Amino acid sequence: MADIAGAIFSALSCICGTLNCNCIDQHRNFNDDVGELRRKLDSLTSRKQDIESRIQVAEACGGQMVGQQVQEWLKQAQEINVKVRAFLEKVQGVKWYKRACLDKRVCRKINVVKEMLEIGCFPEGLVIERAPARGNIIPTENLMGGISTKEEIWEYLMGDEVGMIGVCGIGGVGKTTIMKNLHNDLQRETRFQKVIWVTVSHPLNVFKLQKKIASAMCERLPEDEEVMMRAAALMEIMRRERFVLILDDVWERFSLKDVGIPDPKAQNGCKVVVTSRSIEVCSYLHCKIVKVQPLSQKESLKLFLNTVGDGVLEVPGLEEILKLIVKECAGLPLAIVVIAGSMRGVDDVNVWRNALTELRDHVMSVQDSNDEIFKQLRFSFDRLGSLEVKNCFLYCSFFEEDYVFSRRELIESWIDEGLIDGLPSRKAAYDRGYAIIDRLEKNFLLEKETSGPIAIGGYGFDVDGAKMHDVVRDMAIISIGPEFGYMIKAGMNLVELPNEQGWVKDPKKLSLMANNILKVPLSLSPKCPTLSTLILSSNLNLSEIPESFFGEMLALKVLDLSYTAIKTLPNSISNLENLSALRLQHCMKLKYLPSLVNLRGLKKLDLHGARIKVFPQGMGKLIGLEYLDLLFCPNLKEIPTGILPDLSNLQYLAVCCLQETTMVRNLEEVARLKKLETLECKFDDIRDFNYFVNKFKDFQSAAAYSLMVARAEDMIRKSKYELVIADCEIGEECIVLPNNLEDLWIIDCKNMKSSLDKTALLEKANELRRCHIRDSEEIECVVELDSSSSSSSCCPVLNKLELLELWGLHRLCELVRVEGVATPLHVFSNLKQLDISYCPRMRKLLPLELLQALQNLETIYVDDCEQMEEIIASSDSDTLSSDKFTFTFPKLRILRLWDLPQLKSICSDEGVVLDNGQPSPPPHLRVIEIGEESKEWWESVEWDHPNAKNLLQPFLKYSNSWWD
Ligand SMILES: *[C@@H]1O[C@H](CO)[C@@H](O)[C@H](O)[C@H]1NC(C)=O
Ligand SMILES: *[C@@H]1O[C@H](CO)[C@@H](O)[C@H](O)[C@H]1NC(C)=O
């Protein structure tokens, strides 16, 4: 804790310029380091999960004990996880000059996490007695069929004869499922030291493959070396272990040696298993070939019923039809679940009979494909009904293989394509979008992916993502795409545009997302009179597109050049009269746009994070514009007045309010946008902000808003209605808060001398639930009461607050300051969480007078407050301390006290600890957590009541702060 103080003092010297620290540079390092810390922490988390699931399996085998070391590691990993996450969360809001000086702290944490990762490899295994598990368990369905295939592979794995095994079969037959089951069984085997699973992406990329294998072995290869050198390094690593390597879904020939995989032989006891749709690839690799056969009729039926629900058998007369339908699935598990999924909930025999006829027609009519399964998948696709939903499905294949897209990103794209159309609002469009995603997921045409928040450019965060099964995606691209005129070449490592001869005839949509295309050749002018969508996004180094390129693409409706290095857009864009969406997110080299005057049909212009210098010409003519994102365009200094009023159809607007001269007019103009649903807006100062809120009361009816008063660029996004005030002076100034504000952040605000209730901040914010005050130097207390103000009438808003967070407030001494005679106070009566950190002057946390009000408090976190002595303070006033004061926290669950070197008592002598007549702990208390450094203190505390310590002891938990 000395460190944070040190950091803060050096931060102060930093500002004064007395230290030779180049803050600007350090700022960049800081962000890198925070990123690094975050990644390391993610690795630690997944390592921990991995170990836990391995232990689960080991324990399920019975009779095994987890080693002491491993237990200790898991415990520490958990602690570190909690602390670092809390730290990262908080660090977000810190201004750059302080960040620079926090860097040391970040670096130290990186080292600690790194060290944990290193310790956490446990080459000797996790459990005592039997040999360890050597890979993680992969969640998988139970096997329906393929038992004999699995047994055959198992024999090869256990025997000495065969080193390379090739598991072949058509797409969707269940190769991967068999291997996942085997992989999990292998965890219980002692024969191998490592079981490695790697999904080989298509097309094969040796560099990536090496990386995946190495990281599965807890190793890293040099990033900047040639592939050959990396192969040698990988070979070295792999030689140390007796491994099984499973390479799932291999499409192309390659050589083990080039990648760096040692030849599996009887001598080294290693095995390589390849799954592939191609026997030819397996033969090339000299594999012993094992063919995966389709399911039997009986197995098929069982799987079908599992998916569709047993209930259907109760429908009279259905069984026969059902069996015939299952037969048409040709024993392919993927086909069975997809078709069963699309029939779920249908209990009318006629509908089933009709489905059978349709399915048979499909199987007969879909000819020219090698993949049997496309026929059945195609049936499910056709049952999607409307053309819009079908197109929504097909759009998912525009992203590269295994890409996890956020729902928001997907729905916005569908809106751009005109697939969700004719609805009165964007909210309604989103609702429709979510319904479509749900439908696709229920039909197994999309898979839900909840791997944590997915960041998506200007679209914020999404918790749920979605993904396409690779076979389903192949079907969409190969079997259906061409019929619709779609050409999908996403994530194919292309370095130039595909040759025109290879294009489908009269393409309608073309996705070249996520390749490495550098430039479009001069004078290329593809004749695509019907092309409506062109996606070139995430070709990170694409810098030039010639004037001629769009010359014969006049029907273009959607153009996406986001995440490219494009410097200028060709003027020929101006002629794309039918363009409706122009996406240019994060085009960091783009300074100017050509005139947009002719783009009368434009509905979306997304320049989030682009570097344009001048407001595009002709914007005023874009009367159909619904979505305009100009947020974080640092070079854009002005929005000319007189333009926004013409954009009366705007539903989504994200802007910074820039130049004083035009700002007022701009704001008045924004206020007149009646269709606006979501507003994201950044203001330079409070005056502007107040003006806006006063002038524009209606924006509060928007479905969502996110406002920021700041010079900084970070945007914290947590709730629907939020305001972030950062880096401002809020001394005397009154801030007019929107009535329906839920979340208020005050970050780095100077001159906040008076307490929260005196700033007049909160007067109208009746919906405010969460308040965060961070890094604001001058505030000394949160609430200030004098004897004249009756405390019950004080600031009613504070009584509705559920969360109060105070972080890095250097002068804060008190939560509530009472002048004169104290009586029990009634503030914070709804507070559930109190979170206070890095407040070095705080000595006493909760004054006695306040306790009766805090009946709803559930958690108290106190972290790193240098001078904190008492959690529940003794009273300075005589009136209260003459009597013993009795109180209880009926809902308190967690009391966490970290890094409080001066802590003397949780509760002072005058107050009886947690009394209920007899001392008793709060009924919901789960844990009292204190830092290891306070262990001695706890041991030595003398308690008023002889029983108190014994009562609390069971809840006590020490947390380790050695890493801090
Ligand atoms: C893209 O450009 C950057 C810097 O100009 C370079 O480091 C990187 O290797 C390039 N990437 C590709 C795929 O060419
Ligand atoms: C633009 O759209 C309109 C209406 O859909 C259509 O009639 C026209 O042919 C399109 N223009 C081009 C150049 O394709």
Side-chain angles (χ1 to χ4, degrees), residues 10-18 23 97-98 777:
S10 51
L12 290 173
S13 351
C14 231
I15 309 162
C16 308
T18 50
C23 288
Y97 58 76
K98 284 189 190 141
E777 305 276 341

Side-chain angles (χ1 to χ4, degrees), residues 116-254:
M116 279 305 282
L117 273 168
E118 278 159 20
I119 305 172
C121 253
F122 299 112
E124 291 91 38
L126 304 173
V127 288
I128 306 170
E129 291 177 33
R130 277 183 66 174
R134 286 138 303 253
N136 51 344
I137 291 295
I138 303 172
T140 180
E141 321 74 272
N142 286 329
L143 270 190
M144 273 298 166
I147 302 291
S148 58
T149 317
K150 188 181 146 192
E151 279 165 5
E152 186 182 351
I153 302 170
W154 184 260
E155 300 213 331
Y156 295 138
L157 286 169
M158 294 303 132
D160 286 333
E161 258 107 87
V162 179
M164 290 285 299
I165 304 156
V167 181
C168 298
I170 49 182
V173 77
K175 301 179 290 292
T176 302
T177 310
I178 290 179
M179 284 318 299
K180 280 182 179 168
N181 274 276
L182 267 169
H183 169 274
N184 292 351
D185 291 350
L186 280 169
Q187 306 302 328
R188 295 174 211 146
E189 247 323 299
T190 52
R191 193 182 170 93
F192 304 101
Q193 292 162 311
K194 267 259 151 56
V195 184
I196 307 159
W197 180 284
V198 172
T199 305
V200 182
S201 54
H202 175 50
L204 188 104
N205 178 325
V206 173
F207 191 91
K208 278 193 199 157
L209 182 56
Q210 290 172 327
K211 188 170 173 172
K212 284 186 186 173
I213 297 175
S215 65
M217 311 259 313
C218 305
E219 298 278 355
R220 273 181 74 177
L221 297 173
E223 288 282 321
D224 45 4
E225 293 275 8
E226 294 279 312
V227 165
M228 288 244 305
M229 299 304 290
R230 286 162 58 91
L234 183 59
M235 189 77 83
E236 204 43 54
I237 295 167
M238 308 252 333
R239 282 220 175 96
R240 287 185 228 141
E241 311 251 19
R242 203 164 57 248
F243 63 82
V244 183
L245 172 62
I246 301 167
L247 298 172
D248 188 38
D249 206 16
V250 176
W251 286 70
E252 289 129 281
R253 299 169 170 202
F254 68 98

Side-chain angles (χ1 to χ4, degrees), residues 850-867:
L850 192 58
L851 299 177
Q852 305 260 294
L854 299 175
Q855 294 297 298
N856 286 303
L857 207 54
E858 293 172 13
T859 45
I860 304 176
Y861 296 141
V862 192
D863 187 7
D864 208 339
C865 296
E866 262 177 81
Q867 301 192 34

Side-chain angles (χ1 to χ4, degrees), residues 37 111-112 164 315 354 456 504 538 555 568 589 713 748 781:
L37 179 58
N111 284 335
V112 170
M164 290 285 299
V315 179
N354 179 51
I456 4 96
V504 297
S538 297
T568 54
K589 300 269 167 68
E713 290 222 346
D748 225 323
C781 65

